[in-house]
Amino acid sequence: MPDEGPGHAADWLMAHGHALTFTKLFEPHSAFPALSDFDGLLILGGPMSVHDEENVSWLRKEKAFIREALKVGKITLAICLGAQLVAEALGGEVRPNHAPEIGFWTVRFSAKSLEHPLLRGWPEKAAVLHWHLDTFTVPPGAMRVGMSAATATQGFVWGDGVIGLQFHPEMTVPMVEKLMELEGHEHAEEAEFVQTAEQIRTKMKSVWKGRKLLEALLENLVALHEGEHAEAANL
């Protein structure tokens, strides 16, 4: 969406000397980069469903691009809708969650997933931002990352370099405020797994918990990629 973006991910990548390019699919005549032009892929969220191909013209092209990137082994971090798209590409099922999950809710990370090199440095649980109606099953061959009270699958790791997260560790405080504005959430009523705008604002410091998770994850992803290059150079 025009008012969303990589948030904390962009801050970390640029601070560590990495170049970041954008493919804005909502803009006319947008084009995907050649697979040889990038090392890693960051796929962000959006209000549409993975099943909205008839109404969202670029979804089919994005799905095809994701399949090709996965096929050639690009390291990939996918968030919210992005995670749902990658899960579907890997054979998982995307469907409506039993309830919307909006606000800061705790995710518990499985002990097994915390042993994975991509999640090195993560805690056993964290209160992070959620904003979704759909959910996905763990793709064949992938590992579940964690779960919340509302959502059984909060993420997955596939292989050594692909991770999908249902929650939003990339969101900054201004991004959360803008999201609430765009979604008309200012006067939304509280529900079982939906916090009001006022409740979300009282928990806004939790964006820093998401940021810490994201920074550790990016560091692990980059270390993995650099390690592969060093290993290839020694062959």
Side-chain angles (χ1 to χ4, degrees):
M1 295 293 291
D3 294 292
E4 297 183 20
H8 292 310
D11 296 340
W12 189 92
L13 289 166
M14 290 187 285
H16 288 78
H18 302 284
L20 191 64
T21 61
F22 297 84
T23 302
K24 299 179 179 180
L25 296 174
F26 49 83
E27 293 183 346
H29 314 299
S30 62
F32 292 101
L35 293 174
S36 58
D37 287 346
F38 65 92
D39 297 313
L41 185 61
L42 173 61
I43 312 171
L44 299 173
M48 61 288 297
S49 164
V50 300
H51 305 301
D52 284 345
E53 293 177 343
E54 296 300 323
N55 301 318
V56 183
S57 60
W58 43 261
L59 264 177
R60 286 191 178 90
K61 294 179 181 178
E62 183 180 19
K63 289 182 179 184
F65 178 76
I66 290 171
R67 289 193 296 269
E68 288 301 312
L70 293 171
K71 188 182 298 182
V72 299
K74 294 294 181 181
I75 59 173
T76 301
L77 168 57
I79 297 172
C80 199
L81 173 65
Q84 295 166 9
L85 288 165
V86 173
E88 184 185 64
L90 293 173
E93 179 188 357
V94 180
R95 58 189 181 224
N97 200 24
H98 69 93
E101 187 177 25
I102 295 174
F104 290 97
W105 302 97
T106 297
V107 173
R108 297 182 182 276
F109 305 111
S110 70
K112 186 176 181 181
S113 70
L114 292 175
E115 295 174 357
H116 194 282
L118 291 186
L119 273 59
R120 186 178 296 114
W122 276 28
E124 294 181 358
K125 61 181 179 179
V128 289
L129 181 71
H130 307 261
W131 206 291
H132 67 102
L133 304 179
D134 288 349
T135 186
F136 52 84
T137 61
V138 179
M143 179 195 304
R144 186 191 310 270
V145 164
M147 63 188 299
S148 65
T151 306
T153 305
Q154 280 290 348
F156 64 89
V157 177
W158 186 77
D160 291 330
V162 176
I163 182 166
L165 301 174
Q166 182 58 71
F167 58 92
H168 285 276
E170 85 288 4
M171 287 274 186
T172 65
V173 171
M175 289 172 68
V176 179
E177 288 286 355
K178 191 65 177 180
L179 181 59
M180 290 197 291
E181 176 188 337
L182 292 173
E183 293 290 324
H185 197 71
E186 197 63 49
H187 303 291
E189 295 184 1
E190 182 181 3
E192 185 178 9
F193 300 110
V194 176
Q195 295 167 354
T196 65
E198 182 180 354
Q199 289 170 328
I200 289 173
R201 290 191 178 102
T202 64
K203 301 175 184 293
M204 200 71 88
K205 288 184 179 179
S206 288
V207 297
W208 297 103
K209 297 179 182 179
R211 178 175 180 168
K212 288 182 178 179
L213 294 178
L214 182 63
E215 290 178 345
L217 175 57
L218 289 171
E219 185 175 344
N220 294 335
L221 277 167
V222 169
L224 170 75
H225 177 71
E226 292 176 345
E228 289 179 347
H229 273 254
E231 188 173 318
N234 290 328
L235 293 178

